[in-house]
Amino acid sequence: MATNRIIPPMNRTLLQPLIALLLVLCGAMPAAAGVVLAEAELFVAQETDSAPASFEQMHSWIQERDEIERMPLSGGRFWMVAPFMVNESRSEWVVNLHNSIAERVDYLVLGSDGSRQMSSGGYDAPYDYLFDYGKNVTLRYGVEYWLVARVESRYFSSIPKLEINGVSEHRLLTDRIAAAVLVCLGGLLFIAVYNLLIYSSTRDRAFLYYGLYVITYLLGWAFTFHVPAQLFGFHQLELHHLFFIGLPIFNILFYKHFLQLPTMSPPLWRASQILLWLCVLALPTSFLLLSHTAIIASVLIGLWIVLAIIAGNVCLIKGFAPARYFIMAFSCLLLPALLILPGNLGLTTDVFEFTELTTLIGGSADALLLSLALASKLKLLSEERDAHAQQLIDAWEKARLDSLTQISNRFAFDEFMQSQQQFAEAVTRQSALLLLDVDGLKHINDTLGHQAGDELLKTLVEWIRGVELGVSGPVQLYRIGGDEFALVVEAAALESVLDKLAQAGQYLSEQGFAAGLSVGYALNSQVQAAHDWLRAADSRMYRNKASRRHELESHTVTI
């Protein structure tokens, strides 16, 4: 038998930074300093064992038990025995087994005053406190006591611990921790629903798998903190680690799409696929190997976190900017995992209290940061889509632009003509279509070269766009052929425009070009359709051109 070792109670205010803020907000209370509880001794409990009958029988009862150094996480029946004293005058206290799941806990408190108090708690028993196995006892100041707890479970998630707190402190502590748990679970539910709604509109599978990952995480921790058992009376120990084993499955599918891992790093994607199938194959162990499922889940989760962080860093190095949030998210999981997973594997004892709450808060931070990562990716995709749309707009504009004169081309003119629907009596606003044909361009090309012909065309366009045509709105000018242009103006300005265009030949002559301009026009109120409008203007333009040629020939003959 081991000797009794009296140790001071652990101060519950000494928490790690990850949960400091939340527990300060929740008002977490320290353990009661009025009880000096010794470190519990551990013994194997046989099915036929009976509890000690009185305080005086404790030493002989302990001598008959088989002591063990550490409680195996694979489950079983065990006695936890510790002496304690009360150094305060109050009488209402709570005995509690914490730090691990336990299907059944039978508490026995034996006092040197002859008192004997028994109560039962655990996963399957009714709860007196939120998400907690605590039971009330009455203790007297100055009396020596033994606390004997018979613990039975098919597995332990970590090394169980005994504690004694004042009733008011314990209730306040459990209520506030329960509030913190519910806040985290509520936040996870909101994040899951939000991402599934985004998936319904974007059909991006990264949002689908992320939403399923968060729901799986939520359910795993809800069972860990006994929320279904406490609120709905639903007890199913086999489901506790089923959800945790499922976490890597949905997360690997998530970061496959989010990080584009098959493209970014095929070797890491192959490793991720292997881990994914290991998790799938491990799912039945929640039912078939329940005593070992906590260890199996801890190993798989540890491998998943390491692999995910490596994948995130590789993708960040290769230039995928949203991966920085991915890495930060898994860093929030890594720190509590480094603290809790060795304890889950039975390698170490927990170095501080609230390890499960720490991991839940780390997971909630992970979920939030992964949401930011998805939002960053969504923003990146939106920017890429906008840039692509702008490229299409630019390409469309270029396709409608004449490269030489930088005015609208035949494609843009055809678009305009197809958009015109009102003609003849249906016209509400009269417009004139003018067709312009440059006389002498072929001669200049043949004698002076095409560069001179190009200069002629650019000079003419600059003159038309710069001269005051008497048009109230913008001038719609199109190049519809090698030496042909189209001009659309309001009918009221037609006479003014014709007068100005009649001066084109003189202006071109002044610029050194032996060229002129033949003009034909038609009103939309005088035709029945767009093709008639174009045909009418074209016919008049060619009549004008023939007339100008006849006049030129007559002038030449006279000379």
Side-chain angles (χ1 to χ4, degrees):
M1 184 192 77
T3 58
N4 296 339
R5 297 177 295 275
I6 306 297
I7 61 172
M10 179 176 290
N11 189 324
R12 285 200 165 192
T13 57
L14 301 177
L15 303 177
Q16 75 288 2
L18 273 177
I19 63 170
L21 177 59
L22 186 54
L23 291 184
V24 166
L25 294 176
C26 293
M29 302 294 293
V35 174
V36 180
L37 179 67
E39 182 179 351
E41 297 180 69
L42 304 177
F43 304 94
V44 176
Q46 304 299 330
E47 190 172 359
T48 57
D49 281 356
S50 59
S54 64
F55 183 89
E56 290 75 16
Q57 293 181 1
M58 280 301 303
H59 289 287
S60 60
W61 183 87
I62 288 175
Q63 293 290 341
E64 297 171 357
R65 310 274 80 78
D66 295 327
E67 186 177 11
I68 57 175
E69 290 295 326
R70 181 187 293 269
M71 192 177 295
L73 299 182
S74 56
R77 301 183 188 90
F78 304 94
W79 295 102
M80 299 181 70
V81 180
F84 68 94
M85 290 186 63
V86 179
N87 294 329
E88 291 186 9
S89 58
R90 56 177 166 170
S91 59
E92 299 301 321
W93 298 86
V94 177
V95 293
N96 182 43
L97 181 108
H98 68 105
N99 204 53
S100 173
I101 190 170
E103 291 182 88
R104 182 178 176 84
V105 185
D106 295 320
Y107 300 108
L108 172 62
V109 178
L110 299 172
S112 60
D113 59 352
S115 60
R116 190 174 193 272
Q117 303 174 68
M118 296 184 65
S119 57
S120 294
Y123 179 63
D124 294 324
Y127 296 86
D128 293 345
Y129 297 92
L130 289 172
F131 316 148
D132 188 81
Y133 301 150
K135 295 295 177 179
N136 291 351
V137 294
T138 301
L139 305 175
R140 292 173 56 194
Y141 172 73
V143 177
E144 294 182 358
Y145 292 96
W146 280 95
L147 173 58
V148 181
R150 188 177 189 274
V151 184
E152 181 177 350
S153 188
R154 283 174 285 175
Y155 77 87
F156 298 104
S157 54
S158 190
I159 304 300
K161 298 179 182 180
L162 291 173
E163 66 178 1
I164 300 177
N165 299 319
V167 169
S168 58
E169 291 93 336
H170 192 80
R171 186 175 300 279
L172 187 61
L173 178 61
T174 55
D175 287 352
R176 288 176 173 174
I177 290 178
V181 169
L182 294 177
V183 167
C184 289
L185 296 181
L188 291 172
L189 180 61
F190 173 80
I191 291 172
V193 172
Y194 174 74
N195 282 277
L196 290 176
L197 287 175
I198 292 180
Y199 166 73
S200 67
S201 60
T202 64
R203 294 297 167 179
D204 186 336
R205 290 189 178 182
F207 290 94
L208 171 64
Y209 291 126
Y210 179 65
L212 295 175
Y213 159 74
V214 175
I215 289 175
T216 305
Y217 193 80
L218 183 157
L219 291 173
W221 281 109
F223 275 97
T224 296
F225 285 98
H226 304 357
V227 175
Q230 179 102 38
L231 301 183
F232 311 111
F234 181 74
H235 302 81
Q236 190 68 39
L237 197 63
E238 291 81 3
L239 293 180
H240 284 223
H241 283 86
L242 177 71
F243 294 109
F244 286 116
I245 294 174
L247 278 181
I249 297 174
F250 289 115
N251 193 267
I252 289 170
L253 291 172
F254 155 68
Y255 71 65
K256 169 196 174 184
H257 294 277
F258 174 72
L259 296 176
Q260 301 169 7
L261 197 60
T263 302
M264 287 285 191
S265 178
L268 282 175
W269 170 235
R270 287 193 292 269
S272 298
Q273 284 180 300
I274 293 172
L275 181 57
L276 185 151
W277 284 110
L278 286 175
C279 291
V280 172
L281 294 174
L283 288 174
T285 63
S286 296
F287 299 90
L288 303 177
L289 298 172
L290 181 59
S291 296
H292 303 284
T293 187
I295 297 174
I296 294 171
S298 297
V299 171
L300 293 174
I301 288 173
L303 292 173
W304 156 57
I305 292 175
V306 171
L307 185 59
I309 290 178
I310 293 173
N313 278 281
V314 168
C315 293
L316 183 62
I317 291 171
K318 291 189 175 182
F320 185 61
R324 64 184 185 274
Y325 293 109
F326 183 87
I327 297 169
M328 291 170 60
F330 274 90
S331 298
C332 290
L333 276 184
L334 180 62
L335 179 57
L338 290 174
L339 299 172
I340 195 173
L341 289 180
N344 289 350
L345 294 171
L347 301 176
T348 63
T349 58
D350 295 327
V351 297
F352 55 85
E353 302 287 345
F354 305 112
T355 53
E356 291 179 338
L357 182 59
T358 303
T359 312
L360 172 59
I361 294 173
S364 300
D366 163 75
L368 179 61
L369 287 169
L370 286 180
S371 291
L372 292 176
L374 281 169
S376 177
K377 180 188 177 184
L378 199 62
K379 179 182 177 183
L380 183 63
L381 291 175
S382 177
E383 290 173 350
E384 290 176 353
R385 184 177 63 250
D386 291 345
H388 181 64
Q390 187 60 48
Q391 289 176 353
L392 291 177
I393 291 172
D394 293 344
W396 182 72
E397 290 292 341
K398 288 180 180 179
R400 301 172 74 253
L401 199 67
D402 178 60
S403 58
L404 175 65
T405 60
Q406 296 300 302
I407 62 173
S408 299
N409 59 14
R410 180 59 186 254
F411 176 69
F413 176 73
D414 290 341
E415 275 189 341
F416 166 76
M417 294 298 287
Q418 291 170 9
S419 69
Q420 301 303 296
Q421 301 297 326
Q422 295 182 344
F423 296 96
E425 294 83 2
V427 170
T428 57
R429 181 178 180 182
Q430 279 192 326
S431 297
L433 171 63
L434 295 90
L435 294 184
L436 318 178
D437 186 87
V438 180
D439 301 324
L441 176 63
K442 185 178 185 303
H443 178 71
I444 292 176
N445 284 336
D446 293 341
T447 57
L448 301 178
H450 285 275
Q451 186 174 359
D454 291 345
E455 288 299 321
L456 165 61
L457 295 176
K458 289 193 287 185
T459 301
L460 175 62
V461 168
E462 289 174 2
W463 178 77
I464 294 175
R465 298 177 72 176
V467 73
E468 180 58 50
L469 296 175
V471 179
S472 59
V475 175
Q476 293 177 260
L477 182 60
Y478 305 88
R479 185 184 179 193
I480 60 175
D483 57 357
E484 294 182 345
F485 295 84
L487 184 63
V488 180
V489 299
E490 56 189 13
L494 177 59
E495 185 175 349
S496 172
V497 171
L498 291 173
D499 290 342
K500 291 293 183 181
L501 292 178
Q503 303 171 16
Q506 180 182 350
Y507 175 77
L508 293 175
S509 177
E510 293 173 356
Q511 303 302 314
F513 297 106
L517 196 64
S518 297
V519 180
Y521 67 89
L523 299 177
N524 58 354
S525 59
Q526 298 173 343
V527 295
Q528 299 297 323
H531 62 274
D532 295 332
W533 197 17
L534 178 62
R535 186 183 298 112
D538 192 51
S539 297
R540 181 167 287 177
M541 186 268 292
Y542 275 104
R543 288 198 300 270
N544 187 356
K545 190 178 187 70
S547 176
R548 284 172 52 81
R549 185 183 299 112
H550 180 70
E551 290 178 1
L552 180 61
E553 291 173 352
S554 298
H555 179 68
T556 303
V557 170
T558 302
I559 292 175

